[in-house]
Amino acid sequence: MALLLLVVTGSALALDNGLSRTPAMGWNSYNAFSCNAVEQNYRDAALALVDLGLKDLGYDYLGVDCGWQGRNRTADGTFTWDTSIMPNGVPALGEFVHSLGLKFGLYGYYACDFVGGTALYLGSLNFEVQDAKTFALWGADYLKYDNCYSTAPNEFLNYFPSISVCSVFAALKPELIDHFVTMRDALADLDRPILYSACEWGVQDPARWPGAEVANSWRISNDIGPSWVNVFRIINQVVPITQFAEPGAWNDLDLLEVGNSPFTEAEQLTHFAFWAAVKSPLLISTDLTKATEATLEILRNERIIGLNQDPLGKSIDFKRRYANDSDVWAGPLADGSTVALIINWKDSARDLTFNLADIGLSSADAVDLVTGNSLGHLDTTYTARAAAHGSFVLKLTNQIASSPPSFTYYEAAAASSVLEGGAVRRTINSSTTVVGSLGDGASVTLTGISVAEGGKKLLAIEYTNGDYTFGNDGCPNCRNAYVSVNDGEDVWAQMPIAAQNWDVVFKGFLLEVEGFRVGGNNTVRVRNEDAGAPEIYRIGVSD
């Protein structure tokens, strides 16, 4: 689906409700109970948040998810609940939650279920103003607004809707109803503040709506699920949009799987630490009445929670990917320190080395935020044992910057480049032309590359990749490319999406390749014999 990206200007869409200055924290039922949770499950979870000390650490939202809704409105159109699910009623549950010092979250919109829409739960389409008032009367402090039936009352799920989910797209088709903004405005007219969580599964690139003008958080992807590849898919999807997170407005990577099978403890910790550092809402979604000490140790880690709640509100950013090996992410904290998160993508435990130069440093003092242990002074590298799919989470202080590499850039679409196998030049805008239709045997070879010293060089690749997905097949939300110098050995580049369209260039993907020779006759070839590759704008070669 090709999307035209617009920037909304002016104050008409600005969301300034004063809420969620740091990401929301709490509990939601869905990953533990799907749409089968009943009132007692919610009461048990609320008590557990308090009794297990989680409320005191900031987990203060108790979120009701799908399955509570009635199937018919009252004579005056008021929303109802299913009395078999909520025998004491939603308002009574809200009062109970508030009596514990917690905040009460409700679930609405088009009423997703887990039986293909046949449950026929009530939704708020065309009743937004009335339902917002009802939810407020029931004591709601948080509204998760979902995306089922976004196109038609008989169409349960549509990942590529023809309707406009947000005003950016409604501006292109003004006859279409802008559903998420309609509820936003209904909530804004209330006397009760209600945090607004847009759960549109990443449909139509919500960070670029911009989401900050629509909701306090917006789901960037399809649902997380019970497998490690789901984490990989979602991490790839957040790569190009971390800059959109800010106080009051957050990329939502979906509910936590901490405590759930089949994730290992190492995977749960990596998942939790990444969600925290990227400033996603931290919503526990396991049965807390059965939580193990290992689960609680992860969820109670105050140092990791501190990353999430840091008042600067800056997400970590993608710095480096070593294909099928490791990721390096880093970002600033309010006290001037840096957090670095290194993920082991390998399926086995091993010694993993973090090169400080990957985040622009030569040395720093380090603390392991998982254990709280001081690691002393790190000089250029840090090596330690990493579990399969484990990670390092380091707080770095007294940082010394490294000399940043400089690059000479060569455009892939230059007349001197050799396009083979069906590769084509494609113009994005007046200043940017890329080489596309790469992969499946097609390639581009950049020629005439001049270097003063031969051997190994760092490449900075700028590319487009709009091949986003809602599933986990292949390389989900990424494409593979194979890069060689002077017809030498291929180096694998595992390149995340640049956006959910093909007209945004991602800059600064770093890849180290050998085989350069002194002089001006070097070539760099990009290809993929078996599948599609990203489109290449230009490649920088380190000087």
Side-chain angles (χ1 to χ4, degrees):
M1 178 175 61
L3 303 178
L4 175 62
L5 297 181
L6 303 179
V7 176
V8 178
T9 59
S11 59
L13 295 180
L15 181 69
D16 186 18
N17 60 11
L19 299 173
S20 197
R21 305 308 295 170
T22 58
M25 297 174 60
W27 181 90
N28 177 284
S29 60
Y30 187 77
N31 287 353
F33 299 101
S34 186
C35 294
N36 291 314
V38 297
E39 182 178 339
Q40 192 59 49
N41 297 133
Y42 294 115
R43 289 176 178 264
D44 290 345
L47 288 169
L49 287 174
V50 176
D51 295 343
L52 297 174
L54 294 166
K55 169 184 170 290
D56 292 338
L57 295 173
Y59 296 98
D60 57 0
Y61 283 98
L62 188 286
V64 173
D65 212 282
C66 56
W68 67 272
Q69 304 97 319
R71 290 165 174 79
N72 295 286
R73 292 177 178 269
T74 66
D76 66 358
T78 300
F79 210 102
T80 62
W81 59 83
D82 186 333
T83 56
S84 69
I85 301 298
M86 297 285 188
N88 294 298
V90 172
L93 178 59
E95 290 176 6
F96 175 74
V97 169
H98 289 146
S99 74
L100 298 175
L102 298 168
K103 300 171 186 175
F104 185 44
L106 276 178
Y107 167 92
Y109 203 28
Y110 302 111
C112 297
D113 60 43
F114 62 101
V115 287
T118 60
L120 301 178
Y121 298 136
L122 288 175
S124 293
L125 180 60
N126 300 322
F127 290 87
E128 290 88 352
V129 172
Q130 183 174 7
D131 288 355
K133 292 177 180 178
T134 298
F135 299 156
L137 287 173
W138 292 350
D141 304 295
Y142 181 111
L143 179 63
K144 176 181 176 181
Y145 207 48
D146 215 331
N147 199 30
C148 296
Y149 301 107
S150 60
T151 54
N154 61 350
E155 186 174 53
F156 180 53
L157 295 175
N158 188 338
Y159 293 121
F160 305 100
S162 58
I163 62 99
S164 163
V165 172
C166 172
S167 287
V168 169
F169 300 91
L172 305 179
K173 299 179 179 180
E175 73 279 6
L176 298 175
I177 298 171
D178 189 344
H179 302 310
F180 279 94
V181 168
T182 302
M183 181 55 86
R184 178 206 65 187
D185 293 343
L187 295 175
D189 287 338
L190 301 174
D191 293 330
R192 183 180 188 85
I194 297 178
L195 189 155
Y196 186 31
S197 169
C199 181
E200 61 340 272
W201 324 319
V203 169
Q204 296 181 334
D205 218 352
R208 300 179 193 273
W209 290 350
E213 295 184 349
V214 178
N216 295 114
S217 64
W218 50 89
R219 277 278 300 281
I220 70 156
S221 67
N222 199 5
D223 290 3
I224 194 170
S227 66
W228 178 246
V229 70
N230 282 276
V231 174
F232 181 64
R233 166 179 57 83
I234 293 170
I235 287 177
N236 282 330
Q237 198 151 356
V238 81
V239 165
I241 57 172
T242 54
Q243 72 274 19
F244 293 101
E246 60 177 304
W250 309 104
N251 289 310
D252 181 356
L253 278 60
D254 203 9
L255 307 173
L256 293 170
E257 289 279 11
V258 178
N260 297 336
S261 177
F263 291 91
T264 67
E265 289 182 22
E267 289 171 342
Q268 292 175 53
L269 179 56
T270 297
H271 160 45
F272 180 67
F274 188 91
W275 264 230
V278 86
K279 304 299 189 290
S280 175
L282 295 181
L283 298 176
I284 302 166
S285 196
T286 193
D287 186 348
L288 286 175
T289 67
K290 301 176 182 178
T292 66
E293 281 304 313
T295 292
L296 294 173
E297 183 177 355
I298 293 171
L299 295 173
R300 290 171 175 160
N301 189 314
E302 294 184 58
R303 294 173 296 276
I304 303 299
I305 292 171
L307 298 178
N308 186 253
Q309 299 294 296
D310 184 75
L312 185 64
K314 292 289 187 181
S315 170
I316 54 172
D317 295 321
F318 176 82
K319 300 297 184 182
R320 188 79 187 264
R321 171 163 293 172
Y322 298 88
N324 199 36
D325 184 275
S326 59
D327 260 15
V328 180
W329 293 67
L333 298 173
D335 62 4
S337 64
T338 295
V339 58
L341 196 154
I342 300 88
I343 301 174
N344 176 24
W345 291 124
K346 292 289 188 182
D347 296 334
S348 58
R350 58 171 175 142
D351 290 338
L352 179 61
T353 296
F354 162 43
N355 293 294
L356 274 70
D358 284 343
I359 64 169
L361 299 178
S362 62
S363 65
D365 296 334
V367 171
D368 182 336
L369 290 179
V370 175
T371 65
N373 294 335
S374 172
L375 302 177
H377 187 72
L378 307 185
D379 189 11
T380 67
T381 64
Y382 169 70
T383 301
R385 196 71 176 169
H389 304 159
S391 55
F392 304 152
V393 190
L394 309 179
K395 183 174 182 177
L396 306 176
T397 57
N398 298 321
Q399 306 145 82
I400 303 299
S402 59
S403 298
S406 59
F407 297 93
T408 299
Y409 284 90
Y410 299 85
E411 294 192 7
S416 58
S417 293
V418 178
L419 280 61
E420 298 178 294
V424 298
R425 293 174 175 85
R426 184 177 74 86
T427 299
I428 294 177
N429 55 51
S430 60
S431 62
T432 306
T433 301
V434 300
V435 173
S437 298
L438 291 173
D440 297 312
S443 67
V444 59
T445 302
L446 286 66
T447 66
I449 295 173
S450 179
V451 298
E453 296 181 6
K456 185 181 296 184
K457 294 286 184 181
L458 190 64
L459 305 183
I461 304 175
E462 300 185 0
Y463 66 91
T464 67
N465 177 10
D467 189 14
Y468 70 99
T469 180
F470 296 95
N472 295 321
D473 294 336
C475 187
N477 289 317
C478 60
R479 279 192 169 190
N480 295 311
Y482 297 88
V483 182
S484 61
V485 172
N486 296 325
D487 294 322
E489 184 177 351
D490 283 327
V491 176
W492 180 10
Q494 203 171 43
M495 304 166 77
I497 60 170
Q500 290 184 27
N501 68 88
W502 287 90
D503 295 333
V504 174
V505 174
F506 184 84
K507 298 181 179 181
F509 185 92
L510 300 178
L511 187 72
E512 199 168 55
V513 183
E514 294 192 30
F516 283 94
R517 298 188 290 263
V518 174
N521 293 318
N522 292 280
T523 63
V524 174
R525 186 185 189 199
V526 180
R527 66 186 182 91
N528 185 339
E529 292 296 325
D530 302 317
E535 298 181 331
I536 304 301
Y537 169 43
R538 62 179 188 168
I539 297 177
V541 180
S542 59
D543 297 324

